[in-house]
Each structure stands twice: as C-alpha cells, then as structure tokens.
Amino acid sequence: MAQQHSLNVQCFVKKEFQSMFVGENDPRLLYVSEIRPDASAHPRVMHAHEDFVEIILICSGSSEYLIHDKKYYIQPGDLLVYNAGVVHDEISGPDMEIGSYCVAIGGLHMPDLRANALLPDDAGYVFPTGQSFGDLRILFEMMFRNLASGEPRAESFCHSLMHALLVKVLTVTDGVDAIVEKPVEEPHVLGRRIKEYIDRHYMEPITLQSMGEALHISPYYLSHVFKQMSGYSPVQYLLRRRIGEAQTLLITTDLSITRIAEMVGYDTQSYFNLQFTKNVGMPPNKYRQNYIVAQKEQTGSENKRRKKK
C-alpha cells in the first residue's frame, strides 16, 4: 500500500501568540562553548555562577556529576540546567570523556522566579531530551559555529537562536514529571549546613577542626555526614571548590596567578600550582593560555574578514 503524504503546505502561527521575552525579562547570551571529548580530560572543577544560567547538552560519554548536594548519573541526551548560584562539579577525565555544548545566559527574569533562574529551584537539574535532542543539538551547534567563525551579525543571529533555545528547554523540562524528593532526613540537613558553610568560607583558611567548631559538631561526625551526602570529604570538597573558583578567575580576569592563589585560600603559589595540576590535568598558566589563544584566534579571524571587505 502506497504511503500517503500530508497535503499540508503551510502552518499558521496562532494569532494570540505572545513572546515570553518582554518587559524586564530581556535575556542576554554571554557565551557558547563546545567541549570536545578529548578536551574534557581537563575538567571544569566545582564552581557556581552567581549572575547567569548555564544550560548544557550532553552529546557523548557518561559520568557522575555532583550538582548542589547530590550526585547524578549523566549520559548522552541529557539536558542540564543550572540556575544562578547552583554549585556543580563536572567530573570527567581521560577515562570519562564527555562531549557537550554549553551556553550561558544572563538577564533572565522569568515570572514568579528569582533573577537568573530559568526553572523553579526545586524542579531538578537533569532532564532527558528524548525526541527533542536533535533540535537542541542543532541550536547549540549553530550558535557555536556562527560565533566561532565570526560570521557577520553573528551576535544578533545567535541572540535570536537563544530565544528559540530557551523556549525548547522549557518545553523539554515541562514535559518531565518533577521528581518528588523524599523527606530530608536529619543527617542530610546537617550535610547541607556543612556545604553552605564551606561555600561561604572556602576562600578563607578553614580546616576540618575550625568547621567543626563553627558548626558545633565533632570533626569526625562532620566528615562522616558530609561524605555520606556528597561523596566527598569536607577537605576534598573545599579543595575542589577552590580550584573551580581559580579556573573562573583565570578565564575571566587578568589577575596574576599568585594573586589568584591567595584569593582562593592558598598561602603559596607552588602548592596552588600542585593542587591545580593534580585536579585539572595542566598547570594554571597553561590552562589560562589555552583560553587566551582561542580568543586571539577567533578575534584574528574576524579582523581578516573585515580587511577583505
């Protein structure tokens, strides 16, 4: 039996359609990243962004990520949404290579949500994309390709694609049943208190002993409860939090490495270099240089195009 083809030749937009991006809700595209599997051998360690949302699409590989206060299994087709302020630790390495795209968006003021929150804070962080994966990957890919190649009006084009991406993300997340959390037990409540303390004070010279004194808990019990919740000892969490913040400062500022080491709680640059290399897979000066070179190459390509005109 011959397959019948649809006779539809055009689709109409509903007259009552209204954009959600009006008034003070005027999102801005800040950056788009493509993280190749081989590049993920140098992971982006534990960090948070206070003034923008990150949206990540996992294209290949699998791992466990620590997001806020829980570990989540990440696999191809997953969409990750980090509201501003959500601490996340993207665990990868030579034996756990992850291929992904990432966009950062600021200026979000969604109805009834705090600034720079795309979803309610209890909506979860990891969403399977199902049949929407292809559309999402195309949007991420187009945004990255146009910005990376310096296409004329690339920023304007990608700003419009960002609106499409946000709508698609909301469609995917709306279609997923919210995970109802079990009542939080006392040890987990305590674990969250420990996490919040470290997140507030990680740039200071804190120790397991001083944490215990501040929270009125024995260091042994503090360490036991926190590791049970997060998979990390408090000292490991503190170290990764410092290294993640150092990565942010290396990427976004021109501060000296000595100054960055001081800012994230290290007395000596040599010990900072040692810990950074151990956790990221390369020393801090090389990590920064990789980003600077990439930016210069992109700017150089754009200048060449302008000269040709």
Side-chain angles (χ1 to χ4, degrees), residues 231-249:
Y232 289 124
S233 73
V235 173
Q236 288 173 323
Y237 184 91
L238 172 64
L239 183 148
R240 293 185 73 83
R241 193 75 172 87
R242 287 173 169 173
I243 296 300
E245 180 63 19
Q247 287 179 300
T248 299
L249 292 170

Side-chain angles (χ1 to χ4, degrees), residues 29-34 101-104 140 143-144 147 158:
L29 180 64
L30 303 179
Y31 60 76
V32 184
S33 305
E34 179 188 38
Y101 284 99
C102 171
V103 302
F140 277 99
M143 293 165 75
F144 177 78
L147 286 173
C158 290

